[in-house]
Amino acid sequence: MTAAAPAPDSSAAQPSPVAALSRLVQEALDKGSSLRDLGKRAIDKKTGEKISWQYFQKLVKNPPAAAPNPTQIGAIAAALGKSEERIKAAVAEQWLDYRATELRGYGGTVRIILGHLGGMSEQDQKRWLAMIEADERARRGE
């Protein structure tokens, strides 16, 4: 005797979220730009090289396996009216599953310290946090 198969779980069939750079392109399209408009504006300021509107179509419909190169990043930034840093962060998220964070208002020394702490074990990070907190308490006279 065979049992009836259960109905498929409709919640499991939800589409996966659109990747970061693809999402930026889709947002531009949603705001009224056409793929051809993006292609016309997609000129890297440093090299003058262009990318076609078809590349933007691929980014939205079926993103390529390889991340865009620096020239393509410059052209994409120009087309979308975004900074190259914003496009690089989206590329890193989409192709490397890396979410970039940015510190503003701090010098290179702070970035180096944070990069160093980020490479430490959790135990070492806790030790450094304890030292920093002890320094703060000493400064306040506690």
Side-chain angles (χ1 to χ4, degrees), residues 12 14 22 31-32 37 48 52 65 69 94 106 124 129-130 138:
Q14 294 177 1
S22 299
K31 290 179 182 175
D37 291 337
S52 70
N69 66 41
Q94 183 161 334
Y106 296 99
D124 285 340
L129 179 58

Side-chain angles (χ1 to χ4, degrees), residues 20-21 67-68 73 85-100:
L21 183 59
I73 288 172
E85 292 305 314
R86 177 67 184 98
I87 301 304
K88 287 177 185 177
V91 167
E93 184 176 336
Q94 183 161 334
W95 275 270
L96 302 174
D97 195 25
Y98 174 80
R99 277 138 198 100

Side-chain angles (χ1 to χ4, degrees), residues 4-135:
D9 181 10
S10 61
S11 65
Q14 294 177 1
S16 62
V18 178
L21 183 59
S22 299
R23 188 173 49 247
L24 289 178
V25 173
Q26 187 61 55
E27 286 172 5
L29 297 174
D30 292 344
K31 290 179 182 175
S33 290
S34 70
L35 290 169
R36 292 190 188 274
D37 291 337
L38 296 178
K40 288 177 188 172
R41 296 191 302 252
I43 303 168
D44 179 52
K45 293 175 184 170
K46 296 174 191 156
T47 65
E49 291 189 42
K50 302 176 183 181
I51 56 175
S52 70
W53 66 269
Q54 290 96 337
Y55 187 78
F56 291 99
Q57 184 177 36
K58 287 178 189 174
L59 284 173
V60 173
K61 301 290 183 192
N62 187 20
N69 66 41
T71 299
Q72 291 170 318
I73 288 172
I76 293 166
L80 298 179
K82 308 273 186 200
S83 71
E84 284 191 31
E85 292 305 314
R86 177 67 184 98
I87 301 304
K88 287 177 185 177
V91 167
E93 184 176 336
Q94 183 161 334
W95 275 270
L96 302 174
D97 195 25
Y98 174 80
R99 277 138 198 100
T101 58
E102 185 174 334
L103 294 172
R104 293 185 185 262
Y106 296 99
T109 303
V110 172
R111 288 188 196 100
I112 290 168
I113 292 168
L114 289 175
H116 182 70
L117 291 172
M120 289 183 175
S121 69
E122 187 175 341
Q123 182 179 6
D124 285 340
Q125 288 179 16
K126 287 179 182 179
R127 187 172 56 84
W128 276 89
L129 179 58
M131 288 188 294
I132 292 167
E133 289 172 343
D135 179 67

